[in-house]
Amino acid sequence: MWKHFLSKLPKKSLKSESVDLGRGNSDSHSPNASSNLGPGRPNSVPRRTSSVVFPASVIAGIEPLISFKDVPSSEKMNLFISKLSLCCVDFDFRDPTKNVAEKDLKRATLFELLDFVSANPPKFSEPAILALCKTCAVNLFRVFPPNYRSNSSQTSENDDDEPTFDPAWPHLQIVYDLLLKFVTSSSLEAKVAKKYINHQFILKLLDLFDSEDPRERDCLKAILHRIYGKFMVHRPYIRKSISNMFYRVVFESEKHNGIAELLEIFGSVVTGFALPLKEEHKIFLSRTLIPLHKPKSLGIYFQQLSYCINQFIEKDPKLASTVIRGLLKYWPITSTQKEVMFLSELEEILEVINMAEFQKVMVPLFWRIGCCINSFHFQVAERALFLWNNDQIVNLIAHNRHVILPIIFPAVESNAQNHWNHAVQNLSLNVRRMFSEMDDVLFLACHSHYKEEQEKINLESEKRKEAWEQLETAASLRPPVAGNIAVLVMPLATSITC
């Protein structure tokens, strides 16, 4: 049976082939391609919607079913290529009853290849690198079905949906492990391999990060990280390509399954940036990372994003004010969950910011914190008041109390008197007490000014109320009117409380 299966494979030299990673599925859907998959398989076989298949080839004179230990060392690389060519045949894994024997043969062959690459073989020849890249392209590179991607308007509704898993994952996992072992192998020379692990290959890998399967994204993260470390020539292109993916998330789709993993890669990349930081890296922070706070799906990748930004600030503390201005620019107004996340990130930044950078942004920053303290959502108000539990932040406030206290005092005083939540009221009273102990004279001055402002507001409210009453009285004394003459309506029908 195996001989009959192998006799169906075209025998063609690998030297005449090239890895065309950008090619579509036209070859894979031809009648010849489908007839090569095994005896008795019909020509019109439904294939995986996500598969990209290339013609298979076997090195003439080499039997791919032979074990590596049964051939001399001089023939092992040729056998390696033959086994890779055997694995270029694609099967439909949606139906577990189809081609069971062929699938088992391919799986066993992939395990053999994985063991061979893991055993520190001799230097990989150029045809071997070509064959492995081609095998990975055939088995891994695919277009995901439409249900993998959600519309931006449905992002919040679909976050809890069960992810869609590829039925071929047990097979794909071996191919991913093979590629990872290959990239990290000391037998692979980057100068030779960069010809095949090129920009097109990397771009196809990046497209796979949109998979809904977290196991696949973890494999891709490990592989891309090793490629970034081994192929220095590709580093600028990888950074640029990832930036473009982030731009699409911010300005177009607002959803991508692999943003968290890509940010994890960048977190480790940023730690390796040389000082002083290049202008290119600062632009990436301001134009790419900071705008990533805008999408509704922020919660999915917030921890990784916050880590990347903190790494930038540790590298260059002067960037702290830039980041805070960016957070204030994209501050959420209607999403309380995002507000809590923004406040948490602010606290991390304020813990490491220096005094000079803090003074550049303290006025708009504490105006926004004051709005959060006055929030009717108790979690937002509570999280904002928790900032005063941080000694570093209290120290920054104490040194700049003459500017900050007049901004923040009305919000704290209003909360202490009127907020509906008792926990928020107690926290507001604690902050009020801290201000009093910090500078009693300034506290009394702010309190006096607050009372004057409240009296002015109450007076204006009384005047407005009297004016409405006078208008209502005047309107009630006039006789009824008909036609298209404007009439005065009740104030309650037109007033809106903010």
Side-chain angles (χ1 to χ4, degrees):
M1 176 183 172
W2 301 125
K3 303 238 177 182
H4 183 57
F5 169 62
L6 293 170
S7 67
K8 296 289 184 180
L9 296 172
K11 296 186 178 181
K12 183 180 178 183
S13 174
L14 271 176
K15 295 181 180 178
S16 62
E17 298 178 3
S18 61
V19 183
D20 184 7
L21 302 180
R23 184 167 48 179
N25 293 1
S26 57
D27 293 339
S28 64
H29 293 281
S30 65
N32 293 335
S34 60
S35 64
N36 291 339
L37 296 179
R41 183 167 184 174
N43 289 342
S44 57
V45 176
R47 308 182 64 82
R48 237 185 337 149
T49 57
S50 58
S51 63
V52 178
V53 183
F54 293 80
S57 62
V58 178
I59 298 296
I62 301 293
E63 173 60 64
L65 295 181
I66 298 175
S67 175
F68 280 105
K69 63 183 179 181
D70 295 332
V71 297
S73 299
S74 58
E75 293 294 331
K76 284 187 177 180
M77 200 56 66
N78 286 335
L79 179 59
F80 178 71
I81 297 171
S82 284
K83 287 182 180 289
L84 287 170
S85 301
L86 182 66
C87 294
C88 284
V89 182
D90 188 49
F91 298 105
D92 183 6
F93 284 87
R94 293 173 299 180
D95 187 352
T97 62
K98 282 185 179 180
N99 306 104
V100 177
E102 289 87 344
K103 291 175 185 176
D104 290 341
L105 171 63
K106 184 177 179 181
R107 182 178 176 84
T109 306
L110 284 171
F111 275 121
E112 279 191 80
L113 291 168
L114 180 59
D115 293 338
F116 178 75
V117 174
S118 304
N120 294 322
K123 296 290 182 184
F124 289 109
S125 62
E126 196 165 335
I129 298 172
L130 166 63
L132 191 135
C133 290
K134 178 181 172 182
T135 302
C136 292
V138 170
N139 290 278
L140 300 179
F141 298 165
R142 59 204 192 280
V143 178
F144 295 116
N147 63 335
Y148 267 66
R149 295 182 176 87
S150 305
N151 294 329
S152 59
S153 60
Q154 300 174 344
T155 298
S156 58
E157 300 174 5
N158 295 339
D159 282 346
D160 296 331
D161 289 352
E162 287 295 325
T164 305
F165 296 125
D166 195 321
W169 171 248
H171 159 83
L172 293 174
Q173 185 178 20
I174 309 171
V175 183
Y176 276 120
D177 291 341
L178 176 62
L179 179 57
L180 179 61
K181 289 290 185 181
F182 178 72
V183 171
T184 56
S185 175
S186 58
S187 302
L188 179 67
E189 293 183 355
K191 292 181 180 179
V192 179
K194 69 180 181 182
K195 182 179 177 182
Y196 304 101
I197 302 179
N198 53 19
H199 290 178
Q200 211 168 10
F201 188 93
I202 291 169
L203 195 60
K204 290 291 183 180
L205 275 180
L206 288 171
D207 287 341
L208 295 176
F209 273 91
D210 206 13
S211 169
E212 289 196 0
D213 193 336
R215 300 168 298 180
E216 183 167 13
R217 297 199 301 269
D218 283 340
C219 291
L220 287 163
K221 177 180 68 175
I223 291 168
L224 186 64
H225 196 183
R226 300 305 189 279
I227 290 175
Y228 187 92
K230 190 158 192 170
F231 298 88
M232 295 184 66
V233 67
H234 293 328
R235 290 181 181 181
Y237 179 79
I238 293 174
R239 292 197 299 268
K240 181 180 177 182
S241 299
I242 294 178
S243 296
N244 291 336
M245 294 174 71
F246 290 162
Y247 291 145
R248 285 196 293 272
V249 171
V250 173
F251 300 109
E252 294 178 13
S253 65
E254 288 201 357
K255 178 73 183 293
H256 191 285
N257 292 314
I259 296 298
E261 286 78 13
L262 291 170
L263 286 170
E264 281 186 42
I265 295 173
F266 251 104
S268 59
V269 167
V270 173
T271 58
F273 284 164
L275 294 176
L277 287 176
K278 295 179 181 178
E279 192 63 25
E280 169 200 350
H281 303 323
K282 295 180 182 179
I283 290 173
F284 174 78
L285 170 67
S286 60
R287 296 185 183 177
T288 308
L289 289 184
I290 293 177
L292 276 175
H293 290 84
K294 180 182 176 183
K296 297 176 183 177
S297 56
L298 172 65
I300 298 174
Y301 55 83
F302 172 71
Q303 290 184 348
Q304 293 83 358
L305 177 60
S306 179
Y307 176 77
C308 281
I309 288 177
N310 284 328
Q311 291 300 309
F312 268 101
I313 295 174
E314 286 183 14
K315 286 284 182 179
D316 186 354
K318 292 182 180 179
L319 293 173
S321 58
T322 303
V323 173
I324 291 176
R325 287 193 192 98
L327 291 176
L328 295 176
K329 177 181 178 181
Y330 295 103
W331 197 275
I333 303 301
T334 58
S335 175
T336 53
Q337 183 182 9
K338 285 181 67 175
E339 273 194 285
V340 172
M341 288 189 282
F342 272 54
L343 288 166
S344 300
E345 187 169 0
L346 267 181
E347 181 172 8
E348 292 180 5
I349 296 170
L350 292 175
E351 285 181 347
V352 297
I353 196 172
N354 58 45
M355 189 64 70
E357 296 300 313
F358 175 76
Q359 290 174 345
K360 292 179 183 178
V361 295
M362 61 183 179
V363 173
L365 172 61
F366 277 88
W367 180 86
R368 173 54 64 188
I369 292 174
C371 292
C372 292
I373 290 174
N374 275 148
S375 173
F376 287 113
H377 197 288
F378 79 96
Q379 289 181 337
V380 176
E382 193 175 55
R383 189 65 189 84
L385 290 165
F386 278 156
L387 294 175
W388 273 263
N389 291 339
N390 191 302
D391 293 337
Q392 173 65 16
I393 296 175
V394 171
N395 184 51
L396 291 170
I397 294 172
H399 279 82
N400 300 277
R401 59 186 180 276
H402 294 284
V403 177
I404 295 173
L405 187 52
I407 297 172
I408 212 75
F409 184 84
V412 175
E413 188 68 17
S414 175
N415 262 15
Q417 295 177 7
N418 305 316
H419 203 280
W420 65 270
N421 186 273
H422 293 296
V424 173
Q425 274 191 334
N426 292 333
L427 287 170
S428 300
L429 289 171
N430 290 338
V431 172
R432 189 177 184 274
R433 190 180 307 110
M434 289 177 67
F435 281 141
S436 176
E437 295 171 355
M438 193 180 293
D439 191 331
D440 190 48
V441 176
L442 180 60
F443 174 83
L444 292 175
C446 290
H447 190 265
S448 176
H449 184 263
Y450 173 78
K451 282 187 173 181
E452 292 175 4
E453 290 296 320
Q454 288 300 115
E455 289 176 1
K456 288 181 182 178
I457 292 172
N458 293 336
L459 184 60
E460 289 176 1
S461 178
E462 288 295 327
K463 287 182 179 179
R464 194 180 302 112
K465 185 177 179 181
E466 289 177 4
W468 275 110
E469 288 176 352
Q470 291 173 4
L471 287 171
E472 289 173 12
T473 303
S476 64
L477 295 176
R478 295 188 63 178
V481 293
N484 296 325
I485 301 176
V487 295
L488 186 67
V489 295
M490 293 295 291
L492 293 177
T494 59
S495 61
I496 298 176
T497 304
C498 296

